[in-house]
Every structure is written in structure tokens, then in C-alpha cells.
Amino acid sequence: MKHGEEEEKMTTTALVSTRIPPQLADRLAKLSKITQRSKSFLAAQAIEEYVNLQEWQVQAIREGMAAVERGELASHEQALAILDLWGKDGKN
């Protein structure tokens, strides 16, 4: 996205103000310069990725809780068998 396109996109957004540590602000400024993206664009991207991840995690927790309420639980032995399939290091 070119600088003008970035500015055009920013006009259809909401303003969010936040404080960040000076070291993080410096890193953001450097990344902005290197990538030729605005700090606002990069911050919006980071916030979107964070919100997506948190929404996914909350949904997964809700689904797990609903499964528990329906009685869909693995026994201790079943859980151990699954873990054994994964191996000691958690990799197949």
C-alpha cells in the first residue's frame, strides 16, 4: 500500500490513543521508517492481530466449557493415551 493509500484508509478509521514505553516507541519508529509504513498503520496491524488471537482463544475456551457442560470429557487414561501419541517433546 502506498503512502497516499494509507492516508485514505486512515480517514475511515476510529482514533485510539495509547501510551507505550519509550523503547517500544523507538522500535516502532524504526520499523515504520524501514518498512515505509506509518506508525499508525503498523500499530493498527498489531492490534488487529492481537484482537484476532484473543477472540479465537475466548471462542475456544467457550467451546471447551460447553463441551464440559454436555459431559464430553476425556478420562484421565484417554488424555494420557493422547499425550503418549504426541511423544515426550510434544511433537509427532
Side-chain angles (χ1 to χ4, degrees), residues 2-73:
K2 294 181 180 158
H3 183 66
E5 293 171 354
E6 249 180 59
E7 287 181 2
E8 184 178 321
K9 185 177 179 185
M10 297 303 283
T11 61
T12 61
T13 59
L15 175 64
V16 175
S17 178
T18 186
R19 293 188 180 276
I20 60 174
Q23 299 86 354
L24 183 56
D26 290 343
R27 290 170 57 204
L28 180 60
K30 287 176 186 173
L31 185 60
S32 172
K33 187 174 182 177
I34 291 168
T35 61
Q36 298 182 340
R37 299 285 191 176
S38 70
K39 291 184 286 185
S40 292
F41 176 85
L42 295 175
Q45 246 188 344
I47 291 169
E48 183 174 11
E49 289 179 21
Y50 175 82
V51 169
N52 287 342
L53 177 61
Q54 295 303 308
E55 287 174 336
W56 171 84
Q57 187 172 23
V58 166
Q59 183 60 34
I61 291 168
R62 286 181 175 163
E63 289 172 7
M65 291 173 66
V68 168
E69 288 176 7
R70 292 189 303 269
E72 298 172 359
L73 299 171

Side-chain angles (χ1 to χ4, degrees), residues 76-92:
H76 181 74
E77 291 75 20
Q78 290 170 323
L80 289 177
I82 291 170
L83 290 174
D84 282 342
L85 290 175
W86 290 351
K88 291 185 181 200
D89 62 359
K91 299 176 185 174
N92 287 331

